[in-house]
Amino acid sequence: MKKSYFIWLMAILLLTACAGKDAESAEPKKNVATEEVAKEDEEETGGRTESKEYVPKEVEYYEIENLGRELSELENEMLRYPGIYSGDDYDEVKVNEAIDQLPDDLTAEQYFDELKYLLTEDYHEELETLLRFDPNVEVDIARPDETVENPGIKTAHYAILIDASGSMKAMVGNKNRMDAAKEAVFEFAEQIPENATISMRVYGHKGSGSDADQELSCTSTENFYNGNFDNGKFKKALDKIKPAGWTPIGLALETVKEDIPENTDDVIVYVVSDGIETCGGDPVKAAEDLVSADIETVVNIIGFDVDNEGQKLLKEVATAGNGEFTYVDSEQDLKKYLKAQYEEIQKAWQEWKRAGQKQAHELKEEKKKLANETKESMKKKSNQEKERMKQASQYLKSRLEETENSSIGNDLYFKSIDYSGAKYWFAIDIGSDAYWESINSGNEKYWEFVEEGNEKITETIKKKNEQ
């Protein structure tokens, strides 16, 4: 019995000792050094824990090179690198966690810099687009060159070869063939498009129709005019032509190559003659050589009061030159032929006008769209930035509510509105300017084509109706 009691007593003592050891180990071990530092801090700060030293974030900016002017303060600010939680990277929880890491004693400007570091949107692409925006609508359509199948693309040269043989003195109605031909050629030349060039070559104008002057006359061909059409100069050149000698058509077709400017795409040759080759030349071969060259060439023959044999031979020349032979036996017929040419020119001007209107409209719409979409993108980003900053400032306000900085939250709220609002209104101003300038430029270019096209069409119709 005594032995059992002793065992029971020892067990109780053992359990009591273990319980005492466990209680001793559950108490926190105090760091003496830490406690002493805490006491020193408490004495120096009056019981308040001092914040760690604040280090502002480094800010980077995009650059726009060769703009030609200094950027405004707002424009520079809009080139700021985007916040780490801006755009699609936004995460409200992470933003709040980042705010929680900030000290409690920053200034309003320092807190706002932190919000910008977190939430500023990326505007640099839209800003550069609008700062470099060119609202001018430029339409690149060449004026008609009378290549009706494809007007306004190729450069044309009109080469008029005028027969100055003695037979051109013969009368047609109340004037001679030469005067009638001059009048018709001048009226036709007036309709040549501004970007086309025209040349006038005369043949058989030296010597006379006598056998003694045959060699002189048959070797005579001369360029009287070359370049863009000038009313006074062209008429003066025509006035110099006097009917004189023989008819070297082949020589004229061979030497007309000298009159064709470089970089010419199309050459339209008009040979005005009242007879056949009389100098032993080969106008058919000369016409073939012309059209086989690199430049696309058409040789049209206008036979002026020519007999049947002459018509047959001149038609062969036109066929060899991929052109047409037109027989006219009077001044009225000659003008009728050229009237048909006026109608082709009229069509070309109409196509030119329509193409210009279409391109001006399309370019205007493209520029309008770019200006508007860029503006709307900036507006959307600034609104998004504003709402997120407002929300973050409200969170910061609640966090600072029990501190000496409790009033800063309201300041940050209104700073957010002002900061993003300035970007919003900047986008509206510059984007709207680009939008309306594009419209005005496009409309102006559109009506330029309408006015010039209508003017040229009216001129052509007037000339056509005078025939």
Side-chain angles (χ1 to χ4, degrees):
M1 179 71 179
K2 287 182 180 179
K3 186 177 180 180
S4 299
Y5 174 79
F6 178 76
I7 292 172
W8 176 79
L9 178 63
M10 289 298 294
I12 292 174
L13 291 173
L14 182 62
L15 288 172
T16 304
C18 290
K21 187 175 181 181
D22 289 344
E24 182 181 353
S25 65
E27 293 180 5
K29 292 182 178 180
K30 294 184 179 180
N31 187 318
V32 178
T34 303
E35 189 176 28
E36 288 175 355
V37 170
K39 287 181 178 178
E40 290 174 4
D41 288 344
E42 196 171 344
E43 290 173 358
E44 291 176 5
T45 61
R48 175 176 59 82
T49 302
E50 188 176 19
S51 301
K52 295 179 180 179
E53 183 180 354
Y54 170 69
V55 180
K57 301 293 191 301
E58 290 188 10
V59 181
E60 294 185 85
Y61 294 87
Y62 292 102
E63 293 184 4
I64 299 179
E65 297 180 353
N66 303 318
L67 186 60
R69 69 169 177 84
E70 293 293 326
L71 293 174
S72 69
E73 184 177 344
L74 176 58
E75 289 166 346
N76 268 317
E77 184 62 24
M78 294 178 77
L79 290 176
R80 182 186 182 111
Y81 272 32
I84 58 175
Y85 298 122
S86 63
D88 293 338
D89 294 325
Y90 179 70
D91 186 320
E92 184 181 354
V93 173
K94 290 183 179 180
V95 171
N96 293 343
E97 288 175 354
I99 291 174
D100 287 338
Q101 300 302 313
L102 299 176
D104 294 345
D105 56 353
L106 300 184
T107 66
E109 286 299 329
Q110 289 172 328
Y111 280 127
F112 195 60
D113 284 341
E114 291 296 326
L115 294 188
K116 288 191 285 186
Y117 177 78
L118 296 173
L119 298 169
T120 295
E121 291 292 334
D122 187 352
Y123 299 93
H124 83 279
E125 290 184 356
E126 291 94 334
L127 181 63
E128 183 163 5
T129 295
L130 290 179
L131 291 182
R132 295 192 187 280
F133 191 85
D134 181 6
N136 295 313
V137 174
E138 298 294 338
V139 179
D140 185 19
I141 298 180
R143 286 163 176 74
D145 61 5
E146 288 198 345
T147 306
V148 179
E149 295 77 12
N150 199 0
I153 296 177
K154 296 182 179 180
T155 302
H157 177 75
Y158 296 82
I160 300 177
L161 309 183
I162 300 178
D163 181 358
S165 61
S167 57
M168 290 292 283
K169 297 175 184 177
M171 298 300 292
V172 178
N174 60 351
K175 59 183 74 172
N176 65 34
R177 294 173 181 171
M178 178 57 75
D179 289 339
K182 285 180 180 180
E183 184 178 326
V185 165
F186 182 77
E187 290 179 359
F188 175 69
E190 285 184 301
Q191 302 306 308
I192 298 300
E194 293 176 4
N195 66 315
T197 52
I198 186 170
S199 62
M200 180 200 308
R201 177 168 287 276
V202 181
Y203 57 94
H205 61 299
K206 293 184 179 180
S208 66
S210 67
D211 291 342
D213 285 340
Q214 181 178 6
E215 183 177 355
L216 172 63
S217 184
C218 285
T219 56
S220 65
T221 178
E222 185 177 352
N223 182 286
F224 275 25
Y225 187 94
N226 205 338
N228 294 101
F229 178 74
D230 180 282
N231 189 303
K233 292 179 181 179
F234 193 85
K235 191 173 188 306
K236 186 176 180 180
L238 273 174
D239 291 341
K240 289 166 38 179
I241 305 174
K242 306 294 180 187
W246 296 63
T247 313
I249 299 177
L251 177 64
L253 287 170
E254 290 170 5
T255 53
V256 74
K257 298 175 184 177
E258 302 170 9
D259 306 335
I260 302 171
E262 293 183 2
N263 302 320
T264 299
D265 297 305
D266 287 344
V267 177
I268 302 96
V269 179
Y270 289 94
V271 180
V272 181
S273 179
D274 71 341
I276 61 173
E277 168 75 37
T278 60
C279 291
D282 190 347
V284 172
K285 184 178 184 306
E288 289 176 344
D289 290 344
L290 267 178
V291 299
S292 64
D294 293 337
I295 301 173
E296 187 173 338
T297 305
V298 173
V299 179
N300 297 313
I301 307 293
I302 305 173
F304 200 13
D305 200 17
V306 185
D307 60 25
N308 290 335
E309 182 184 0
Q311 289 183 41
K312 181 180 178 182
L313 293 174
L314 291 176
K315 187 177 290 186
E316 291 178 8
V317 177
T319 301
N322 289 338
E324 60 181 16
F325 169 76
T326 302
Y327 170 68
V328 295
D329 61 1
S330 66
E331 179 183 6
Q332 182 178 0
D333 287 343
L334 179 57
K335 289 188 175 183
K336 182 179 179 181
Y337 169 75
L338 294 178
K339 180 178 180 178
Q341 302 298 302
Y342 296 150
E343 290 177 349
E344 295 301 322
I345 296 174
Q346 179 184 335
K347 290 179 184 177
W349 277 113
Q350 287 170 336
E351 289 299 318
W352 176 84
K353 182 181 79 169
R354 282 194 288 266
Q357 289 175 285
K358 182 175 183 290
Q359 192 175 120
H361 177 74
E362 289 174 349
L363 288 174
K364 177 187 73 174
E365 292 302 313
E366 287 177 12
K367 288 179 178 286
K368 276 174 54 183
K369 182 180 180 183
L370 175 61
N372 193 59
E373 288 182 348
T374 306
K375 177 185 72 174
E376 292 302 317
S377 175
M378 294 177 80
K379 285 171 58 181
K380 180 181 178 181
K381 287 183 177 181
S382 64
N383 273 329
Q384 180 171 271
E385 177 185 280
K386 179 183 68 175
E387 293 305 316
R388 291 173 177 177
M389 281 191 167
K390 282 165 56 179
Q391 188 171 344
S393 66
Q394 291 293 84
Y395 178 80
L396 184 57
K397 177 184 177 182
S398 65
R399 214 205 79 182
L400 299 174
E401 206 161 16
E402 302 300 325
T403 71
E404 295 178 1
N405 267 345
S406 58
S407 64
I408 282 181
N410 288 332
D411 292 342
L412 295 178
Y413 185 88
F414 291 108
K415 276 181 178 291
S416 301
I417 294 175
D418 292 342
Y419 179 71
S420 301
K423 298 175 183 179
Y424 181 91
W425 288 108
F426 175 86
I428 289 179
D429 289 342
I430 191 172
S432 297
D433 285 347
Y435 180 88
W436 286 108
E437 286 172 7
S438 299
I439 291 177
N440 292 336
S441 180
N443 289 344
E444 182 179 343
K445 187 61 62 175
Y446 180 95
W447 286 106
E448 282 179 13
F449 274 86
V450 172
E451 291 171 4
E452 184 175 354
N454 287 343
E455 180 182 346
K456 292 296 183 181
I457 292 168
T458 301
E459 287 178 6
T460 306
I461 292 173
K462 182 180 178 181
K463 289 293 183 182
K464 180 179 69 175
N465 293 337
E466 288 175 354
Q467 304 307 312

